[in-house]
């Protein structure tokens, strides 16, 4: 959702790597930095964009904003002569209050055009504030909730004469969720920000400082960063960063170094970020495993700040997450229950919080999130902690809110995931869940050290096998191209194949806008089989024939049942599985692997299929319609 960038620094000088042509005015480092930051935040999803600039010679804020993609804003800027600036803010908007129009795009101005505000989140009490401010004489020009923050800040600034103090006072009036950034013509080298339940990170440069929704906004400029806590106001100038809380008392941010390179967030020669990220998956699995064992081969999780005695006493695990991350949670359930004999529930974060869940000090809540900012998951984390549970975050993004608010964190090391639809984060989340499961088994003595070592070795070998599946991708792509007119696709799986089926369906829905459903194969006869008619494409994830409990033969029977009713069967099966051949219209072979680890392989053809089919339909696979990468509102 909305992307936010702020910059305070010299008006001219070093250009960004993009060498952005921004029109006839003087060289504009602030504008270049902000536009480059917005470009890097495009992945969050947006429908309009805007910038605001102030400089020593500006009477009013200079600004531009346009509905649509960033290119529209850049075209608008190219026709304009802008004053030299020393501070700038930029925004990509994902519409909530008011449609995606030029007028509703941010920034919103107040104080006779001398103050500009951008915002991420939802201001819940905006109607009453709007009435009050209008009665006081404010003129509203948009349908947004954000504009009340601009007028409120202008009013508080008139009273306080200081932008930071005015922001503190403004934050006190707002309910809901917000990150706000503001510039004022009176303070041409300053950007002030506030955050409440919405992300904001500081980038620390030399003679310049940055603000961003996440580190991607400024990673091309600096890797030195600072996390802000909840309910803090930050003021940056070229040479200073100061933080206060919502009472105006001095506060501290936590410094960290971004551990990935700006190039990691580039396409690197691939046609799309999604394609690149699918190809990153072997690395994501390997990196998530790296450094997790000591010299004796025992699993060590350094970031896990929960006392071992507490982990030993855990009698229930609840995984909370949304979307793809929740499907990773389903895989975690099968693995952790099998290895550790602890009951594991998996719950969508937005349902968990509102159903009065039974959670206590013996419950370990595992919150899985790529972004670390998903509001539904964050709220569930808070709820769990209020009930006395320990919360362990499995998160990909450094400096994000969920790990900060959890008791412990297990970082996945997938690197930046830019495509809106999640791929490599899913594999990294599953890998981290396996590590956690094995760690708990080690700690609680559920498994012998040599059993754990064997599973770890098998897990380490998965990166190579994922690579093999990717290399076999052309057959999947060709099949997808031949199916570009499909209007309904079903996915079946059993055991860990069930979450894989659901993830395959989700990928197809979000990328190709095709109605797709994932079912537990055993559920078929209880209803969904009625959907099967002549030619209906059905993907089936087949477990390893070497697996347990006749899982394999049950799924082969399911394939026969649907084929007998006319389904076109697209089967994902292990190399050498001859039992499926007679019943499969297409087979996507994957290398042999232990049943519990198979999701790391089986999901890859489904990702490639969805991407290739969407591409064949001429759709943008990196930014599917209506979706946002980081869902920062409930
Ligand atoms: C699907 C997808 C979403 C996310 C979900 C949670 O491809 O990307 O379903 O998985 O919004 O996001 P995070 O993991 O950032 O909490």
């Amino acid at each position: 959702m909305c992307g936010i960038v702020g910059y305070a620094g010299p008006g001219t000088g070093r250009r960004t790597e993009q060498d952005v042509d921004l029109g006839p005015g003087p060289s504009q480092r602030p504008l270049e930095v902000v536009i480059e930051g917005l470009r890097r935040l495009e992945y969050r999803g947006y429908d309009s964009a805007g910038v605001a600039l102030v400089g020593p010679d500006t009477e009013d804020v200079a600004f531009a904003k346009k509905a649509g993609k960033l290119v529209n804003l850049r075209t608008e800027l190219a026709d304009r002569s802008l004053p030299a600036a020393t501070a700038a803010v930029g925004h990509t908007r994902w519409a909530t209050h008011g449609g995606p129009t030029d007028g509703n795009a941010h920034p919103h101005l107040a104080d006779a055009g001398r103050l500009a505000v951008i915002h991420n989140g939802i201001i819940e009490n905006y109607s009453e504030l709007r009435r009050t401010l209008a009665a006081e004489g404010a003129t509203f020009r948009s349908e947004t909730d954000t504009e009340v923050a601009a007028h409120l800040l202008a009013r508080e600034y008139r009273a306080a004469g200081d932008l930071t103090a005015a922001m503190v006072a403004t934050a006190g009036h707002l309910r809901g969720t917000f990150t706000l950034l503001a510039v004022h013509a009176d303070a041409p080298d300053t950007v002030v920000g506030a955050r409440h339940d919405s992300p904001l990170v500081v980038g620390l440069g030399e003679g310049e400082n940055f603000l961003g929704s996440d580190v991607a906004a400024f990673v091309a400029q600096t890797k030195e960063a600072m996390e802000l806590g909840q309910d803090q106001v930050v003021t940056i100038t070229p040479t200073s960063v100061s933080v206060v809380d919502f009472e105006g008392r001095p506060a501290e941010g936590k410094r960290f170094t971004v551990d990935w390179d700006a190039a990691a967030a580039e396409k690197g020669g691939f046609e799309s970020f999604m394609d690149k990220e699918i190809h990153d998956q072997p690395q994501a699995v390997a990196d998530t495993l790296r450094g997790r064992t000591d010299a004796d081969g025992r699993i060590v999780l350094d970031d896990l700040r929960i006392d071992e005695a507490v982990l030993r006493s855990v009698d229930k695990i609840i995984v909370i997450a949304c979307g793809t991350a929740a499907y990773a949670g389903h895989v975690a359930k099968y693995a952790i229950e099998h290895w550790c004999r602890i009951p594991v529930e998996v719950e969508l974060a937005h349902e968990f919080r509102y159903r009065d869940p039974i959670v206590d000090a013996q419950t370990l809540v595992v919150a899985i999130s790529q972004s670390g900012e998903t509001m539904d998951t964050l709220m569930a984390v808070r709820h769990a902690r209020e009930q006395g549970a320990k919360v362990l975050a499995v998160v990909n993004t450094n400096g994000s809110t969920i790990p900060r608010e959890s008791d412990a964190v297990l970082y996945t090391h997938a690197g930046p995931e830019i495509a809106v639809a999640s791929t490599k984060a899913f594999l990294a989340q599953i890998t981290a869940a396996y590590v956690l499961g094995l760690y708990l088994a080690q700690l609680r003595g559920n498994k012998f050290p040599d059993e754990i070592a064997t599973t770890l070795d098998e897990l380490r070998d998965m990166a190579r096998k994922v690579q093999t599946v990717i290399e076999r991708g052309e057959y999947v792509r060709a099949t997808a191209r031949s199916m570009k007119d499909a209007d309904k696709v079903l996915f079946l799986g059993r055991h860990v194949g069930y979450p894989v089926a659901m993830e395959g369906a989700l990928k197809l829905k979000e990328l190709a806008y095709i109605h797709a459903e994932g079912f537990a194969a055993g559920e078929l006869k209880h209803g969904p089989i009625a959907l099967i008619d002549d030619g209906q494409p059905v993907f089936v994830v087949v477990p390893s024939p070497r697996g347990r409990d006749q899982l394999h033969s049950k799924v082969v029977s399911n394939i026969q049942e649907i084929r007998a009713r006319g389904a076109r069967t697209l089967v994902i099966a292990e190399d050498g599985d001859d039992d499926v051949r007679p019943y499969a219209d297409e087979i996507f072979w994957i290398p042999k692997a232990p049943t519990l680890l198979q999701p790391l392989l089986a999901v890859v053809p489904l990702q490639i299929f969805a991407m290739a089919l969407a591409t064949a339909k001429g759709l943008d696979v990196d930014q599917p319609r209506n979706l946002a990468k980081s869902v920062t509102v409930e």
Side-chain angles (χ1 to χ4, degrees):
M1 289 181 171
C2 304
I4 280 190
V5 191
Y7 175 80
T12 55
R14 178 158 71 89
R15 294 182 79 88
T16 64
E17 65 189 41
Q18 289 302 305
D19 202 21
V20 190
D21 178 10
L22 291 167
S27 168
Q28 281 281 15
R29 176 151 172 86
L31 182 55
E32 288 169 9
V33 168
V34 161
I35 291 285
E36 165 68 0
L38 292 182
R39 185 182 74 79
R40 288 181 179 273
L41 293 180
E42 275 192 299
Y43 77 95
R44 295 173 72 90
Y46 71 105
D47 40 44
S48 60
V51 290
L53 308 164
V54 288
D57 304 323
T58 48
E59 274 286 301
D60 300 325
V61 173
F63 73 100
K65 49 190 198 170
K66 288 303 277 181
K69 292 290 177 195
L70 213 44
V71 64
N72 297 358
L73 177 67
R74 292 168 75 142
T75 308
E76 169 86 2
L77 288 166
D79 293 340
R80 303 258 302 268
S81 177
L82 292 161
T86 40
V89 293
H91 189 263
T92 46
R93 173 174 186 254
W94 192 85
T96 55
H97 293 63
T101 61
D102 289 357
N104 288 335
H106 301 202
H108 291 283
L109 274 68
D111 209 7
R114 294 175 56 71
L115 167 75
V117 166
I118 59 175
H119 165 225
N120 175 20
I122 293 178
I123 296 170
E124 286 167 2
N125 57 336
Y126 87 101
S127 303
E128 64 189 79
L129 287 172
R130 188 171 169 133
R131 275 195 300 279
T132 308
L133 290 159
E136 290 171 11
T139 306
F140 284 86
R141 296 186 169 79
S142 77
E143 306 153 273
T144 64
D145 52 339
T146 304
E147 206 179 348
V148 300
H151 288 294
L152 208 50
L153 186 63
R155 186 182 82 184
E156 299 302 334
Y157 179 70
R158 282 193 295 275
D162 172 78
L163 207 52
T164 305
M167 187 62 98
V168 169
T170 299
H173 291 293
L174 301 177
R175 284 205 313 271
T177 58
F178 53 87
T179 295
L180 295 170
L181 293 193
V183 287
H184 198 295
D186 288 353
D189 62 352
T190 303
V191 182
V192 176
R195 70 166 296 211
H196 171 68
D197 286 349
S198 198
L200 183 62
V201 195
V202 186
L204 305 166
E206 284 175 25
E208 56 185 1
N209 288 304
F210 310 82
L211 294 167
S213 301
D214 62 56
V215 296
F218 50 72
V219 73
Q221 323 293 342
T222 180
K223 289 191 181 174
E224 296 309 310
M226 184 195 280
E227 279 178 32
L228 294 172
Q230 266 317 320
D231 296 351
Q232 292 186 339
V233 168
V234 59
T235 304
I236 63 165
T237 70
T239 51
S240 66
V241 174
S242 58
V243 185
V244 295
D245 65 18
F246 278 6
E247 306 295 325
R249 295 175 300 226
E252 290 281 316
K254 185 175 154 213
R255 290 180 74 132
F256 66 100
T257 303
V258 182
D259 63 0
W260 49 268
D261 204 69
E266 299 288 348
K267 282 186 201 160
F270 288 92
E271 274 185 16
S272 62
F273 279 110
M274 187 172 182
D275 199 9
K276 182 210 171 228
E277 287 161 10
I278 287 174
H279 283 80
D280 284 346
Q281 294 187 118
Q283 197 65 46
V285 171
D287 288 350
T288 300
L289 285 171
R290 187 159 297 128
R292 305 290 195 193
T293 43
D294 64 14
D296 300 328
R298 285 179 63 80
I299 303 173
V300 280
L301 300 180
D302 291 335
D303 295 334
L304 216 66
R305 300 176 300 254
I306 301 176
D307 200 289
E308 290 191 357
V310 174
L311 290 174
R312 276 195 204 98
S313 70
V314 162
D315 64 7
K316 180 168 73 171
I317 294 176
I318 304 181
V319 180
I320 49 173
C322 301
T324 292
Y327 298 144
H330 279 266
V331 177
K333 172 185 167 72
Y334 285 91
I336 296 174
E337 285 191 340
H338 181 66
W339 289 334
C340 310
R341 311 312 295 156
I342 309 172
V344 181
E345 295 171 16
V346 186
E347 180 121 15
L348 293 170
H350 34 90
E351 289 296 318
F352 171 82
R353 186 184 169 209
Y354 294 104
R355 75 164 171 88
D356 195 14
I358 300 165
V359 174
D360 59 26
Q362 261 72 56
T363 312
L364 176 68
V365 168
V366 177
I368 305 182
S369 174
Q370 187 287 127
S371 61
E373 297 293 351
T374 298
M375 185 56 71
D376 293 312
T377 309
L378 175 61
M379 290 302 168
V381 165
R382 287 186 186 163
H383 185 74
R385 292 192 78 196
E386 278 160 21
Q387 310 302 307
K390 291 281 183 231
V391 177
L392 164 63
V394 175
V395 166
N396 196 43
T397 310
N398 276 147
S400 58
T401 308
I402 289 173
R404 194 185 168 87
E405 295 207 12
S406 299
D407 296 289
V409 59
L410 182 55
Y411 279 110
T412 52
H413 293 295
E417 190 177 66
I418 305 297
V420 168
S422 193
T423 53
K424 63 176 176 174
F426 182 62
L427 266 68
Q429 286 160 352
I430 295 175
T431 305
Y434 293 144
V435 172
L436 175 64
L438 292 173
Y439 176 73
L440 292 174
Q442 171 184 286
L443 197 69
R444 298 162 66 100
N446 302 95
K447 280 194 163 294
F448 293 112
D450 58 331
E451 291 176 302
I452 293 175
T454 304
T455 309
L456 272 176
D457 284 344
E458 288 165 340
L459 198 44
R460 287 193 192 98
D461 203 24
M462 292 306 282
R464 180 184 62 80
K465 295 179 181 178
V466 174
Q467 181 62 35
T468 303
V469 184
I470 293 168
E471 283 163 12
R472 296 176 182 175
E474 186 43 39
Y475 179 53
V476 184
R477 281 190 287 274
T479 309
R481 287 193 289 270
S482 75
M483 289 174 62
K484 79 175 177 26
D485 297 323
D487 62 353
K488 184 178 72 178
V489 180
L490 305 180
F491 294 76
L492 298 180
R494 240 174 218 266
H495 192 258
V496 284
Y498 172 36
V500 171
M502 292 193 285
E503 172 63 3
L506 178 61
K507 289 285 94 77
L508 199 57
K509 278 182 233 186
E510 54 185 349
L511 293 174
Y513 317 151
I514 289 177
H515 186 202
E517 285 304 325
F519 296 106
E523 189 67 6
L524 199 62
K525 290 196 277 292
H526 302 284
I529 200 162
L531 291 168
I532 310 287
D533 57 8
D534 229 17
Q536 169 62 53
V538 185
F539 276 90
V540 187
V541 180
V542 181
S544 164
R546 294 162 295 111
R548 39 205 294 282
D549 300 335
Q550 301 165 356
L551 208 54
H552 177 263
S553 61
K554 292 273 181 342
V555 175
V556 175
S557 303
N558 292 139
I559 304 175
Q560 289 171 262
E561 286 154 14
I562 54 172
R563 200 142 187 270
R565 287 160 180 82
R568 178 177 179 210
T569 55
L570 303 122
V571 171
I572 293 159
E574 199 176 276
D575 286 342
D577 183 353
D578 292 329
D579 296 345
V580 298
R581 279 182 198 275
Y583 315 112
D585 291 300
E586 313 290 345
I587 307 184
F588 308 111
W589 296 110
I590 55 175
K592 292 181 180 166
T595 303
L596 276 170
L597 307 189
Q598 199 204 46
L600 291 172
L601 307 178
V603 76
V604 177
L606 302 182
Q607 298 167 335
I608 295 174
F609 178 83
M611 179 180 68
L613 199 147
T615 306
K617 287 176 80 168
L619 300 172
D620 180 347
V621 296
D622 285 338
Q623 291 176 33
R625 70 184 178 202
N626 303 337
L627 292 178
K629 180 71 182 160
S630 190
V631 183
T632 52
V633 294
E634 275 190 274

